[in-house]
Amino acid sequence: MRTYRELFRTAEFTPLFVTTSVQVAASTVSGLALGTLVYGATGSPLLSALSMFGSSFAQVIGALALLSAADRLPPRAAMTAVALAGGAGTAVLAVPGLPLWALFGVLLGLGLVASVGGGVRYGLLNEVLPEQGYLLGRSVLNMSVGVTQILGFGVGGVLVTALSARGTLLCAAVLDLAAAAVALLGLGSRAPRTEGRPSLAATWVTNVLLWSSASRRHVFLALWVPNGLIVGCESLFIPYSPRNAGLLFAAGALGMLAGDTVTGRFVPARWRKRLGSPLRLLLAAPYLVFALRPALPFAVAAVVLASVGYGAGLLLQERLVELTPVGVRGQALGLATSGMLTMQGVGAAVAGSVAELFSAGTAMAVLAAASVTVTLLLAPGLRAGSQGLRATAP
């Protein structure tokens, strides 16, 4: 499966694509609104960054306790429930006078629910498409994220100006409810991939199995750490340039769209294993220029160029699927997503803390340098895992 026409002719892919896109639109609009609301109320780069990405911290709890649900619940019901919970939680965030501690409590709850949603979504994608179509399908979902974020940050900025941040949050809640409707009406009824009830014990046993392979460990770490540090850079766009943050976010989405399009559709299989480390280096290196506080055009160009490097994630996810037994692929992909989002929250917290002490530009450069370092340290293990890939795959 190498064409978009074949992809969208596959049953259930279109409703899965629409559900994912609408949920991304909701999270994009709500994140911008919430970051603007918190920064306006507190003037704190740390709290602003955490309001946009702090829900990711709950992903680690979900990864340790709830991820067995990704393979043990009917996918349609699970995706519908996750979208409904997102809509309800976002509506609560719009309540006037909500204390800051309550706001972050709701965000953590939303992150906990989302930790299951990622595994369900990408496990279902693996069922809907043949194995050779997974990379193209995942790249299209990532492309939809890029397009939706470009539109979402632009529209979100207009909505924040026209309706206020709280009014924008209510719009995001409506989008979540629309995503729930599409999932309920458009997806087919499928049995869970694995028998048994979701439980802490089942989650833990499978996580230990997934982590027991050195090849998978290196893939997980490469998916989590460099990405999370660069999202920490992005979490500082509002304090770096409050008036132009929407443009910087849209630039990042545009670069990610370009990287996912080229990686998923046009890179031949023989090149994929060679491009991972260069793309992860590209993801970080352009942010080093922010130490010099570049003018807006140069800042936008750096963000676009860096975000092309997000295409490395597609190559790592393809390798992870190859290394993982079919019955636990939902949990493996959910663990990859939860760990990545958790590290994004950590990156946002670290970036915000450094920015409190120095400046947003300095913090972005520090995290970029850390990302480059981690990529270089992981490269030998990924090359070794690549050499034995087919031999270790179940």
Side-chain angles (χ1 to χ4, degrees), residues 76-389:
R76 180 176 65 181
M79 289 191 66
T80 302
V82 168
L84 287 173
T90 304
V92 172
L93 293 174
V95 173
L98 188 70
L100 203 58
W101 63 265
L103 182 148
F104 281 106
V106 173
L107 283 176
L108 289 176
L110 289 174
L112 196 60
V113 172
S115 68
V116 177
V120 173
R121 180 185 306 116
Y122 298 120
L124 178 58
L125 177 67
N126 193 63
E127 282 190 273
V128 167
L129 299 178
E131 185 169 340
Q132 66 273 20
Y134 179 82
L135 180 68
L136 183 62
R138 184 63 190 262
S139 75
V140 168
L141 290 186
N142 285 8
M143 287 159 57
S144 78
V145 171
V147 172
T148 305
Q149 286 183 341
I150 292 170
L151 297 174
F153 284 124
V155 173
V158 172
L159 289 175
V160 167
T161 301
L163 300 179
S164 78
R166 289 191 172 85
T168 305
L169 287 169
L170 291 176
C171 291
V174 171
L175 287 173
D176 273 319
L177 297 180
V182 174
L184 180 63
L185 300 176
L187 295 175
S189 178
R190 290 174 176 265
R193 283 177 292 277
T194 299
E195 296 181 354
R197 298 180 62 181
S199 68
L200 174 62
T203 299
W204 185 254
V205 167
T206 303
N207 282 345
V208 170
L209 170 67
L210 293 171
W211 194 252
S212 65
S213 162
S215 297
R216 282 195 295 261
R217 283 199 301 274
H218 280 89
V219 172
F220 281 130
L221 290 172
L223 277 166
W224 295 344
V225 183
N227 175 294
L229 292 169
I230 298 308
V231 170
C233 296
E234 296 175 355
S235 73
L236 295 176
F237 285 167
I238 291 175
Y240 180 81
S241 182
R243 295 181 60 186
N244 299 296
L247 177 60
L248 291 172
F249 280 119
L254 177 62
M256 184 174 67
L257 172 62
D260 287 337
T261 302
V262 173
T263 304
R265 179 65 179 87
F266 299 108
V267 174
R270 65 182 181 275
W271 284 100
R272 290 175 190 164
K273 295 178 179 64
R274 302 179 185 180
L275 286 178
S277 290
L279 283 173
R280 285 190 297 280
L281 290 172
L282 178 63
L283 178 64
Y287 278 99
L288 296 172
V289 75
F290 280 87
L292 304 176
R293 193 167 181 84
L296 182 63
F298 294 103
V300 169
V303 171
V304 171
L305 180 62
S307 299
V308 172
Y310 280 120
L314 285 176
L315 306 180
L316 289 167
Q317 290 155 16
E318 181 184 41
R319 187 182 301 183
L320 181 61
V321 168
E322 292 176 323
L323 287 167
T324 305
V326 173
V328 293
R329 282 181 179 172
Q331 184 162 340
L333 293 166
L335 182 60
T337 301
S338 294
M340 188 163 55
L341 292 173
T342 299
M343 278 306 304
Q344 289 177 2
V346 171
V350 172
S353 299
V354 176
E356 293 276 358
L357 296 174
F358 300 100
S359 69
T362 299
M364 293 160 78
V366 168
L367 266 69
S371 182
V372 168
T373 302
V374 172
T375 292
L376 293 175
L377 290 174
L378 289 175
L382 288 170
R383 285 196 295 269
S386 178
Q387 293 168 2
L389 180 60

Side-chain angles (χ1 to χ4, degrees), residues 34 46-59 104 107-112 235 341-342 344-346 348-349:
L34 198 58
L46 174 61
L47 292 177
S48 175
L50 289 178
S51 69
M52 295 188 71
F53 298 99
S55 64
S56 301
F57 284 119
Q59 295 277 345
F104 281 106
L107 283 176
L108 289 176
L110 289 174
L112 196 60
S235 73
L341 292 173
T342 299
Q344 289 177 2
V346 171

Side-chain angles (χ1 to χ4, degrees), residues 13-14 27 33 42 72 91 104 109 193 199 266 305 351 385 390:
F13 180 78
T14 297
S27 65
T42 66
R72 290 172 170 81
F104 281 106
R193 283 177 292 277
S199 68
F266 299 108
L305 180 62
R390 289 298 178 186

